[in-house]
């Protein structure tokens, strides 16, 4: 008898789990129930869609079809009966399961401001594809747009709308942008970079109310000002969607609590992605969600029953045209070293060039990079990300990481050619694809960037590595056997 697996949620996590299970041997029936009416799509690329750089088909993820997989869109689950091992849907159906996986994601936070309950037509959260469609429809007749929230998504939305020629102002309650990832200096310099790209900012001022009618929307601020616009976009964070789990009696804190195998308090129920809380932490990013999906697939398929989820260091990249920003680790934390049991003393290195919008900050402990902020053009960003991701020792001359230049005998500048890049170097952070994996895939027959991406999934997450994948594909296509792989102990033939 085949094992019945039900996945609630057909977003990036649920779709990846369905694909992972479909690719593994075994007698199982996988049913995916998605409340949204669309095929699964890449939520990370919505800001690029908002900017008009891509079209809707470009955000669609590969649709899993074939024997053993049944994907149903536009089907909302209303309840989980753990005793009967059934889920109930809004259309009156009941689906039995042997194992249930929650991939319910998260919902946009609507701040408790006067005038936002119910949401006026001219006020739109930025979270889903439908939200994106509504924003684009409203933007056609708009001239001025306000974005409430200066975090990652808010800035991506602001930059995308500004790229369409709209007058955009970001309103943020704290003193600098992206305060979770950046320190005050970087956040202030980022605001200057945005100003040069047509995005104004109003910082350190909370919103206290909203008024909207058919003619426009007004945002009232705590300092007495009122800002008028044609459209208000809300980007005030997200909250894990735990309603089904809580109603079913599963252990819920901020998210659905899971162990290292992504199991909830019920061994027959797992949770992955935005809705899951592992070791007290929420993810909210695609790379951890996909890693969690792989663990669940390995455990359910039985090919790696001892598989465990181990969080990896997270690198945040701002995906907005004209802005180069990478933030990772604890660099935004300005607390002094407490001299505890963390290891040796912390080194802090910074470089700032406000005129050029360039800023770099590194935090190093015991010759290992524990955090970094890189804003603006810095040729060393690839090297810094690799050092942080792999935990490798930093060069003796730290200036090469700050400035992207080699000093003395210890250069740390990134490879000018893929031939100089080690096989172990991670090209795609979202899918953990190395340069060596791309070379091996090319040797197996993939001959274009698209074929390499299809085979390895490199570039299908945030999209930040697409240029790197294309560069490696170009290098491989033109490489001679004597030069293509000899530096890495690999012969590459055409």
């Amino acid at each position: 008898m085949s094992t019945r697996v039900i996945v609630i949620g057909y977003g990036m996590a649920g779709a990846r789990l369905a694909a992972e299970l479909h690719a593994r041997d075994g007698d199982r029936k996988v049913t995916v129930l998605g409340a949204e009416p669309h095929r699964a799509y890449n939520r990370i690329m919505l800001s690029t869609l908002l900017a008009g750089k891509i079209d809707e088909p470009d955000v669609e993820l590969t649709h899993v079809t074939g024997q053993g997989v049944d994907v149903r869109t536009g089907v909302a689950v209303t309840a989980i009966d753990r005793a009967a091992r059934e889920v109930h849907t809004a259309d009156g159906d009941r689906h039995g399961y042997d194992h249930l996986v929650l991939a319910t994601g998260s919902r946009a936070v609507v701040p408790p401001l006067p005038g936002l309950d119910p949401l006026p037509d001219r006020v739109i959260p930025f979270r889903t594809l439908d939200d994106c469609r509504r924003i684009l429809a409203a933007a056609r007749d708009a001239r001025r747009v306000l974005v409430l929230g200066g975090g990652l998504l808010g800035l991506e939305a602001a930059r995308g709308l500004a790229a369409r020629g709209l007058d955009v102002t970001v309103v943020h309650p704290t003193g600098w942008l992206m305060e979770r990832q950046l320190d005050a200096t970087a956040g202030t310099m980022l605001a200057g970079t945005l100003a040069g790209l047509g995005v104004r900012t109003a910082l350190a001022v909370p919103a206290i109310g909203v008024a909207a009618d058919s003619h426009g929307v007004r945002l009232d601020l705590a300092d007495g000002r009122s800002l008028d616009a044609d459209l208000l976009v809300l980007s005030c964070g997200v909250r894990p969607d735990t309603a089904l789990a809580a109603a079913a009696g599963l252990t819920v804190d901020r998210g659905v609590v899971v162990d290292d195998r992504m199991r909830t308090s019920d061994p027959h129920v797992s949770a992955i992605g935005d809705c899951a809380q592992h070791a007290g932490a929420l993810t909210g990013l695609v790379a951890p969600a996909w890693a969690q999906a792989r663990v669940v697939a390995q455990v359910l398929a039985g090919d790696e029953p001892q598989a465990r989820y181990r969080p990896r260091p997270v690198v945040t990249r701002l995906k907005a045209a004209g802005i180069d920003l990478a933030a990772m680790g604890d660099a935004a934390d300005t607390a002094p070293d407490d001299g505890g049991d963390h290891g040796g003393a912390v080194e802090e290195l910074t470089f700032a060039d406000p005129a050029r919008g360039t800023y770099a900050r590194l935090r190093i402990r015991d010759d290992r990079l524990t955090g970094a902020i890189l804003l603006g053009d810095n040729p060393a960003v690839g090297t810094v990300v690799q050092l942080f991701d792999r935990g490798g020792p930093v060069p003796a001359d730290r200036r090469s990481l700050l400035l992207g230049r080699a000093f003395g005998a210890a250069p740390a500048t990134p490879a000018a050619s893929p031939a100089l890049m080690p096989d172990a170097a991670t090209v795609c952070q979202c899918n953990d694809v190395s340069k060596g994996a791309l070379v091996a895939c090319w040797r197996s027959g993939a001959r274009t960037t698209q074929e390499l991406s299809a085979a390895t999934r490199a570039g299908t997450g945030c999209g930040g590595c697409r240029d790197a994948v294309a560069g490696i594909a170009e290098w491989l296509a033109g490489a001679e056997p004597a030069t293509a792989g000899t530096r890495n102990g690999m012969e590459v033939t055409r």
Side-chain angles (χ1 to χ4, degrees):
M1 182 176 178
S2 63
T3 301
R4 301 167 300 170
V5 179
I6 290 183
V7 182
I8 302 179
Y10 192 41
M12 298 184 75
R16 174 56 65 94
L17 176 59
E20 292 277 359
L21 288 171
H22 183 59
R24 287 171 163 78
D25 294 332
D27 184 12
R28 73 183 70 86
K29 178 183 178 183
V30 180
T31 302
V32 185
L33 305 174
E36 291 187 77
H38 330 287
R39 288 176 50 168
Y41 56 89
N42 189 332
R43 197 183 305 277
I44 302 172
M45 301 302 291
L46 290 182
S47 57
T48 310
L49 177 63
L50 208 59
K53 303 297 183 183
I54 58 175
D55 297 318
E56 279 197 18
D58 298 316
V59 305
E60 292 181 350
L61 296 174
T62 302
H63 191 61
V64 181
T65 59
Q67 184 176 3
V69 177
D70 180 14
V71 177
R72 304 187 186 187
T73 58
V75 177
V77 174
T78 57
I80 300 169
D81 185 341
R82 290 167 51 209
R85 291 191 198 167
E86 290 182 339
V87 298
H88 302 180
T89 58
D91 56 12
D93 282 349
R94 297 188 176 194
H95 301 266
Y97 66 83
D98 298 301
H99 197 85
L100 175 66
V101 183
L102 302 176
T104 50
S106 56
R107 296 181 180 273
V109 171
V110 176
L113 296 177
L116 292 186
D117 188 15
L119 277 179
D121 291 338
R122 291 180 178 270
V123 180
I124 307 173
F126 179 48
R127 178 61 181 166
T128 67
L129 178 58
D130 282 339
D131 293 337
C132 196
R133 288 172 172 172
R134 292 177 59 207
I135 291 170
L136 288 174
R140 294 190 189 104
D141 300 320
R143 185 173 62 87
R144 294 171 299 173
V145 177
L146 296 173
V147 176
L148 184 58
L152 187 67
L153 291 180
L155 297 185
E156 289 181 355
R159 180 68 185 104
L161 291 169
R164 290 181 173 270
L166 297 171
D167 182 343
V168 181
T169 299
V170 174
V171 178
H172 195 53
T174 62
W176 65 89
L177 301 171
M178 291 181 61
E179 72 279 1
R180 292 186 179 180
Q181 295 88 12
L182 306 182
D183 59 22
T185 302
T188 301
M189 290 183 64
L190 177 58
T193 300
L194 286 165
L197 297 171
V199 178
R200 290 192 293 270
T201 53
L203 302 175
V205 54
I208 60 173
V210 176
D213 56 26
S214 59
H215 302 291
V217 59
R218 186 187 77 235
L219 184 65
D220 296 326
L221 306 181
D223 61 4
R225 286 182 294 164
S226 293
L227 303 179
D228 296 314
D230 304 301
L231 171 65
L232 171 61
V233 175
L234 300 179
S235 185
C236 303
V238 296
R239 183 174 294 119
D241 193 342
T242 61
L244 280 173
L250 297 172
T251 301
V252 172
D253 184 18
R254 291 180 298 154
V256 184
V257 177
V258 296
D259 61 15
D260 289 350
R261 294 200 297 171
M262 307 311 297
R263 298 291 178 97
T264 69
S265 52
D266 182 336
H268 299 287
V269 183
S270 299
I272 59 175
D274 286 10
C275 70
Q277 178 178 327
H278 173 265
L282 302 171
T283 60
L285 297 172
V286 63
W290 285 351
Q292 292 169 1
R294 186 179 306 114
V295 168
V296 171
Q298 290 168 337
V299 172
L300 292 181
D303 50 2
E304 293 187 51
Q306 300 306 312
R308 298 292 186 270
Y309 172 64
R310 295 289 182 261
R312 293 186 58 183
V314 173
V315 178
T316 300
R317 304 294 290 262
L318 179 59
K319 294 166 288 298
I323 303 174
D324 295 315
L325 172 64
M328 61 210 81
D330 59 3
D333 176 18
T334 57
D337 181 35
D338 60 12
D341 296 329
H342 314 299
V346 173
E347 297 179 55
E348 295 277 4
L349 298 91
T350 60
F351 170 80
D353 184 353
R356 299 193 178 194
T358 302
Y359 178 76
R361 179 177 181 181
L362 308 177
R363 177 171 283 190
I364 299 169
R365 187 190 298 272
D366 293 333
D367 283 333
R368 297 297 189 272
L369 191 68
T370 64
I373 299 170
L374 298 172
L375 173 63
D377 184 17
N378 189 321
V381 62
T383 300
V384 171
V385 170
Q386 290 295 326
L387 288 172
F388 176 74
D389 185 57
R390 298 291 179 181
V394 298
D397 193 329
R398 317 301 204 218
R399 292 173 295 175
S400 57
L401 297 180
L402 276 180
L403 306 176
R405 294 159 51 194
F407 294 88
T413 52
S417 163
L420 305 178
M421 183 187 298
D423 281 349
T426 303
V427 177
C428 177
Q429 297 286 329
C430 294
N431 289 287
D432 192 23
V433 181
S434 67
K435 179 242 185 170
L438 290 168
V439 172
C441 184
W442 186 86
R443 296 177 72 195
S444 297
R447 289 294 182 265
T448 66
T449 302
Q450 292 73 20
E451 289 173 351
L452 287 172
S453 292
T456 65
R457 292 173 172 161
T460 62
C462 71
C465 66
R466 288 182 177 178
D467 288 345
V469 175
I472 290 173
E474 183 179 355
W475 163 68
L476 287 168
E480 293 295 329
T483 60
T486 54
R487 290 182 180 269
N488 298 305
M490 177 181 297
E491 179 183 356
V492 180
T493 58
R494 298 186 66 179

